[in-house]
Amino acid sequence: MNDATRATERDTVMDVATRALAGFARSAKTGDFSGFVELLADDVEFRIPVGEPKRYDGRAATVAYLDIFKTADADLDYEPPFRTTRAGNTVVFEYEDHGRLKGAPYRNTIAISLDIRDGRIAAYREYWGEVDTSALKRLGVLEPGASR
């Protein structure tokens, strides 16, 4: 592989990851995840290793999970990432989001890790930082009694 091929591959990984983050932020606000879903590989592994860890294998299972946002009554704003790290085909974004979720104030620091393969998201992992888990329990993402 020559230097030009490696540079193009790097650009593709960052481009897909950046579009995925922007698409997810837009989708979480509107409840329409179609643009984000288009970036998912058919065999995507979507994980939220928080509380009771959740894992959704494949695009259909991921879409079924994302439907939770349609009833989230979410009005969230995503800040630009304050840190972006890339290693090979993996990109990690660290950012903050805030607003209202199920009618209650919400603020969180999040890190998402995206593995990119063939121009698609092959794996998505979302890690929550400082978050009031009551909003996530109301949404149904965390079971009552669970903690991060």
Side-chain angles (χ1 to χ4, degrees):
M1 181 181 300
N2 63 37
D3 289 341
T5 303
R6 274 193 288 279
T8 300
E9 192 173 285
R10 267 195 314 273
D11 293 345
T12 300
V13 167
M14 283 305 296
D15 178 58
V16 171
T18 301
R19 286 187 297 134
L21 178 64
F24 190 86
R26 204 170 31 257
S27 300
K29 193 168 185 91
T30 66
D32 176 9
F33 280 86
S34 58
F36 175 74
V37 168
E38 288 175 5
L39 295 172
L40 300 177
D42 290 337
D43 63 344
V44 65
E45 176 188 301
F46 192 98
R47 290 185 26 208
I48 303 176
V50 177
E52 291 288 322
K54 297 187 183 319
R55 178 178 169 158
Y56 305 92
D57 291 321
R59 183 183 287 170
T62 300
V63 169
Y65 164 73
L66 294 173
D67 278 348
I68 199 167
F69 283 94
K70 291 179 180 174
T71 61
D73 188 23
D75 184 13
L76 301 175
D77 292 309
Y78 287 70
E79 298 296 327
F82 58 83
R83 183 173 294 117
T84 302
T85 307
R86 181 176 179 273
N89 290 335
T90 300
V91 179
V92 177
F93 294 108
E94 296 175 63
Y95 63 95
E96 294 182 352
D97 62 352
H98 53 86
R100 299 190 73 72
L101 185 62
K102 285 284 191 178
Y106 173 85
R107 177 175 290 281
N108 194 5
T109 302
I110 297 174
I112 62 166
S113 176
L114 302 170
D115 295 348
I116 309 300
R117 182 185 70 230
D118 299 327
R120 299 267 183 229
I121 301 165
Y124 176 107
R125 292 171 301 280
E126 184 171 320
Y127 302 91
W128 300 327
E130 302 300 319
V131 63
D132 175 3
T133 58
S134 63
L136 299 173
K137 290 173 186 172
R138 284 192 304 278
L139 182 57
V141 175
L142 286 179
E143 300 298 322
S147 64
R148 301 189 282 122

